[in-house]
Amino acid sequence: RARMGVLEDVPGSAGHGQYAVHVTGCARGALQVSPQPEDALPVFETKLHLTLRYWSHNEEHILMARSRIATCLDTLERYDEALVLKRKIYARRVATLGVSNERTLSIGNNLAATLLHVKIWDDAKKLLGDQLLPAARRSPGANHPLTMTMKKNLAAALFMNPEHTRDDLRLNRPPS
């Protein structure tokens, strides 16, 4: 059985792969029993390590496990650590799915939100204004909720940066 990342013998298991499957299944259960992020983080970290060990060929599972850890770190307000993971996840999503993919756009928007938390205004502005918003306007569309959230985050990046001037608000806008 698995408890918070500790493996014990599972009767009837056919090798180490069974341990990994069992721990992976326990990750969901750990959050149902204790939804506290400080309790969930070691479970998600264990799941990532097992995924890297037994399913290293499945990049989707690896990215999902890293994403859960990054979300947990955000909840714990450990933004610097979350930022490192989110940058890696976003780069891999762009490489595998392209910048116009809705999942990539969502992950990019989450990265921008973390950049805002750590007050890296210029990086957030560049990410949102130069990469994400142009792609989001094309697909899924200018009025899609994700695109609107990106616009809100871009406005926040401009508004909260004490060094920005009125000229910074003059962004290249798409033709109407």
Side-chain angles (χ1 to χ4, degrees):
R1 302 208 186 330
R3 284 189 307 265
M4 300 303 291
V6 177
L7 295 176
E8 296 175 8
D9 188 23
V10 178
S13 66
H16 297 294
Q18 290 297 322
Y19 290 132
V21 170
H22 189 71
V23 171
T24 299
C26 288
R28 280 184 240 92
L31 289 180
Q32 291 170 353
V33 173
S34 176
Q36 300 301 317
E38 56 274 354
D39 294 339
L41 186 58
V43 175
F44 289 145
E45 288 171 337
T46 300
K47 181 178 180 194
L48 174 61
H49 293 299
L50 289 169
T51 301
L52 289 169
R53 182 172 179 179
Y54 294 106
W55 294 287
S56 60
H57 61 282
N58 192 328
E59 188 167 9
E60 179 65 23
H61 286 325
I62 294 168
L63 291 175
M64 287 173 49
R66 285 187 174 142
S67 183
R68 286 186 181 111
I69 292 171
T71 300
C72 208
L73 291 168
D74 262 347
T75 305
L76 292 168
E77 299 180 0
R78 291 166 54 181
Y79 299 118
D80 292 331
E81 294 171 73
L83 185 60
V84 171
L85 272 176
K86 287 183 178 190
R87 284 184 192 266
K88 288 179 184 178
I89 294 165
Y90 177 69
R92 286 305 307 152
R93 289 288 184 202
V94 169
T96 57
L97 300 175
V99 74
S100 296
N101 181 280
E102 194 168 335
R103 289 170 63 188
T104 303
L105 292 170
S106 179
I107 288 167
N109 190 51
N110 289 339
L111 170 58
T114 302
L115 288 167
L116 293 175
H117 279 291
V118 294
K119 301 177 181 175
I120 305 177
W121 318 115
D122 290 334
D123 284 1
K125 178 185 167 191
K126 286 177 192 170
L127 177 64
L128 288 161
D130 297 344
Q131 294 178 28
L132 296 175
L133 272 169
R137 286 185 185 115
R138 288 188 304 272
S139 169
N143 294 323
H144 189 276
L146 178 59
T147 308
M148 301 301 279
T149 303
M150 287 179 190
K151 291 177 184 179
K152 179 190 75 136
N153 284 340
L154 179 58
L158 295 170
F159 177 76
M160 293 191 303
N161 186 345
E163 297 175 7
H164 276 174
T165 65
R166 186 178 181 139
D167 289 336
D168 291 325
L169 298 176
R170 300 180 207 279
L171 300 171
N172 294 331
R173 296 185 184 179
S176 300

